[in-house]
Amino acid sequence: MNVIALDPRRVVAELDRNVFGGFAEHLGRCIYGGIYDEGSPLADEEGFRKDVLEALKGLRMPIIRYPGGNFVSGYRWMDGIGPKDERPPRAELAWHTVESNRFGTDEFVSFCRKLGAEPYLVVNCGDGDMREARDWVEYCNGTADTHLVRLRRRNGYEAPHAVTYWGIGNEVDGPWQMGMKTPQEYARAFTEFGKLMKMVDPSIKLVASWTSGWFEDWVERGQLLLEQAGNLVDYMAIHWYVGNREDDFARYMALSELFEERLSATEGLLKAMLACRKIKRPIYLAVDEWNVWYRARGAEGLEEVYNLEDALVVALQLNAFMRHARWVKMANLAQIVNVIAPILTRPDGLLLQSIYYPFALYSQQAGGEVLDVYWEGDTFSGGDYTGLRVLDVAATRRADGHIALFVVNRSTGEAEARISLQEGAFAGDVQCWVVNGPHIKAYNTFEAPHTVALTSRRLEGQGNRLDVTFEPHSVTGLVFRIA
Ligand code: AHR
């Protein structure tokens, strides 16, 4: 028997809903044929796929990062504005294609506004310069009567786009990146780019590219950035992709522990630098690319097909973001459509992949304050780890008073648990949502689209107790009120 004890007084931190963000890159069919499909009968008058917009609304993403990714390190944003037929096609070196530029800044911001999401733009700190970066901020946010603001107005956007979140560079630690930078080079570049961008609009928030490869220099990178740009940086970005290359379920389920360790370590460095340099302004972590990605690593279009065990891993990462809510204030699922994505399109429709469901469940139900949940019970070993809890848990108390408790059963057997409230009693029914499928390798196809899906039922607590049998290899969300 597992025990999960909840005390609504034990608050970890406020949950920032930006941890349910997404990421869209000019790569494969993410933009063209994904969110934007000119001439498609499924697109609206502006070219946005209506079915994709509807599916994305189910994910309730509050923020979307764009335009890359590796793509951004060769991107010229000015190519992507103005009359579409006059926009220059360019050789695209990150993914070896030709970029038509028919979708650019204005289309992206419109797309975000349709979704109710904040745009998060990344500037080119690869082969681009700081003039391009500051001009982009001015084009988007400027209000004075300048050439760039007139240009935006001529393009049909009288009001500023009011873009708050700006990243400077992508994965600058990686040799695969155009314009890769040493820790010293990037700390300098970030400082000067950031200085100019904030001169144009002091209200913007800046995201620094900290580490993606987790190479030996990641501590040095973080330290230099915080030493030199502690007065400019708002978020320190890390990237995190995982997979099950060894086809070892236990090892795969244990991978989230490594992520926990890395989150704790990056938080530790942040805390140390804030204290050491007496930095009073808040600086947070942004996991601005994360997902499962291993099957389609080198494949064109990166169209990963996700199964049930991948959905469990996505839920495990979301649990980790919640447990680390004090520092993790943004996370962006990479990516949103077709490219390593929860949604796959065809010209005549779309498919929701397994990972769509845990993301939607968490994003729709979590909110408010994260609680420190006590657990004891069954353990397992996986990879280099032993004594890991089979039931991985996280919980929030929403502003409407509801508790949303999330439990990932990372075993292939049922798990009995008693949920006990340290204060109060269960009031009314408990809504129980479960993401599951017939076996861990099950996945959805256009022919069998609901093999892995979300089901719901109602449970009833007895006083301060609720006994639940968690299904094998499942993600469960329990939502209830405490009287
Ligand atoms: O999301 C796919 C790619 O993964 C991105 O372009 C890059 O930033 C990362 O390596």
Side-chain angles (χ1 to χ4, degrees):
M1 171 69 90
N2 297 275
V3 174
I4 296 169
L6 270 173
D7 183 341
R9 293 165 300 192
R10 291 185 61 91
V11 173
V12 174
E14 192 74 26
L15 178 71
D16 194 321
R17 285 213 71 260
N18 278 350
V19 299
F20 300 116
F23 166 47
E25 178 170 6
H26 284 256
L27 196 185
R29 299 192 305 126
C30 179
I31 305 292
Y32 306 108
I35 62 185
Y36 188 70
D37 212 352
E38 288 176 291
S40 161
L42 298 180
D44 65 14
E45 62 293 344
E46 289 167 83
F48 298 116
R49 279 277 293 253
K50 287 183 281 190
D51 55 342
V52 172
L53 280 168
E54 274 320 298
L56 284 171
K57 281 181 187 159
L59 296 179
R60 286 195 63 208
M61 288 176 163
I63 185 164
I64 300 181
R65 179 175 181 256
Y66 169 88
N70 297 340
F71 169 83
V72 79
S73 298
Y75 184 53
R76 308 171 201 202
W77 70 268
M78 293 275 276
D79 289 350
I81 55 169
K84 290 197 178 164
D85 293 335
E86 292 169 23
R87 297 185 191 178
R90 293 264 183 207
E92 199 290 291
L93 302 186
W95 304 104
H96 309 291
T97 55
V98 173
E99 171 54 50
S100 72
N101 284 305
R102 293 186 70 80
F103 185 98
T105 307
D106 299 325
E107 290 77 23
F108 175 66
V109 174
S110 302
F111 163 74
C112 286
R113 301 300 177 210
K114 276 178 193 257
L115 274 181
E118 281 300 314
Y120 160 17
L121 295 177
V122 182
V123 303
N124 179 347
C125 190
D127 72 1
D129 61 26
M130 61 184 103
R131 177 171 298 165
E132 251 184 297
R134 57 168 268 209
D135 283 354
W136 204 2
V137 178
E138 187 179 330
Y139 178 84
C140 289
N141 294 0
T143 50
D145 186 23
T146 65
H147 169 70
L148 287 166
V149 173
R150 284 184 192 171
L151 203 55
R152 187 193 69 226
R153 290 183 175 141
R154 266 212 305 279
N155 291 338
Y157 298 86
E158 182 62 34
H161 286 323
V163 177
T164 301
Y165 300 91
W166 292 84
I168 299 179
N170 175 70
E171 298 194 344
V172 296
D173 61 329
W176 57 87
Q177 203 65 220
M178 286 179 261
M180 177 213 179
K181 296 199 167 32
T182 65
Q184 291 77 5
E185 286 166 349
Y186 182 63
R188 283 294 301 137
F190 179 89
T191 307
E192 293 307 314
F193 271 61
K195 191 169 82 186
L196 267 66
M197 290 164 72
K198 282 207 178 182
M199 279 178 183
V200 176
D201 181 353
S203 74
I204 61 173
K205 292 194 183 302
L206 293 178
V207 186
S209 167
W210 181 354
T211 183
S212 63
W214 301 92
F215 304 120
E216 277 177 2
D217 62 4
W218 70 262
V219 169
E220 184 191 0
R221 282 182 180 275
Q223 190 174 337
L224 282 176
L225 270 167
L226 291 163
E227 271 171 15
Q228 295 181 29
N231 59 334
L232 287 168
V233 63
D234 296 287
Y235 297 87
M236 299 281 286
I238 58 176
H239 288 181
W240 180 249
Y241 289 104
V242 294
N244 186 11
R245 281 181 195 280
E246 296 78 9
D247 194 15
D248 177 342
F249 179 66
R251 189 182 168 281
Y252 196 28
M253 292 299 110
L255 264 184
S256 57
E257 303 301 318
L258 177 59
F259 188 42
E260 287 276 345
E261 286 168 14
R262 286 181 170 176
L263 285 179
S264 300
T266 46
E267 288 166 4
L269 186 68
L270 250 179
K271 277 192 256 185
M273 288 301 295
L274 294 185
C276 171
R277 296 285 159 149
K278 300 188 177 50
I279 300 169
K280 297 288 176 230
R281 47 194 297 281
I283 303 176
Y284 297 120
L285 286 174
V287 190
D288 66 1
E289 282 187 35
W290 70 275
N291 203 348
V292 169
W293 177 24
Y294 68 107
R295 302 177 190 90
R297 269 271 165 189
E300 198 183 323
L302 315 187
E303 300 206 2
E304 192 97 12
V305 173
Y306 290 109
N307 63 23
L308 176 59
E309 62 182 7
D310 301 328
L312 302 191
V313 167
V314 163
L316 290 170
Q317 314 295 323
L318 292 171
N319 276 356
F321 297 152
M322 290 203 277
R323 287 191 293 260
H324 290 263
R326 165 70 185 82
W327 295 97
V328 179
K329 297 292 185 190
M330 192 200 300
N332 303 76
L333 182 73
Q335 298 190 9
I336 55 175
V337 185
N338 289 328
V339 177
I340 43 174
I343 298 164
L344 282 180
T345 63
R346 284 195 318 205
D348 60 344
L350 60 75
L351 175 71
L352 303 182
Q353 297 222 64
S354 64
I355 63 168
Y356 181 93
Y357 293 103
F359 194 99
L361 174 64
Y362 281 66
S363 183
Q364 286 174 24
Q365 299 303 330
E369 294 168 326
V370 176
L371 301 179
D372 180 17
V373 186
Y374 173 82
W375 162 93
E376 66 182 47
D378 307 331
T379 60
F380 76 106
S381 301
D384 297 332
Y385 298 91
T386 54
L388 301 179
R389 52 187 183 181
V390 165
L391 296 181
D392 188 79
V393 294
T396 61
R397 185 181 55 191
R398 302 192 313 219
D400 65 4
H402 284 75
I403 304 283
L405 169 67
F406 302 96
V407 181
V408 183
N409 179 1
R410 23 185 189 178
S411 81
T412 51
E414 287 183 339
E416 308 277 339
R418 169 154 301 171
I419 296 163
S420 93
L421 302 177
Q422 304 303 286
E423 194 186 48
F426 285 92
D429 283 354
V430 175
Q431 183 73 48
C432 171
W433 280 277
V434 180
V435 180
N436 209 348
H439 53 85
I440 55 174
K441 303 294 182 191
Y443 59 95
N444 295 340
T445 62
F446 278 90
E447 293 67 40
H450 306 298
T451 308
V452 177
L454 184 70
T455 55
S456 86
R457 62 182 199 274
R458 290 192 174 271
L459 305 173
E460 216 180 301
Q462 307 288 326
N464 72 337
R465 272 180 23 216
L466 173 71
D467 290 336
V468 184
T469 302
F470 291 100
E471 295 177 16
H473 46 65
S474 62
V475 180
T476 301
L478 298 166
V479 177
F480 51 88
R481 276 193 318 106
I482 298 179

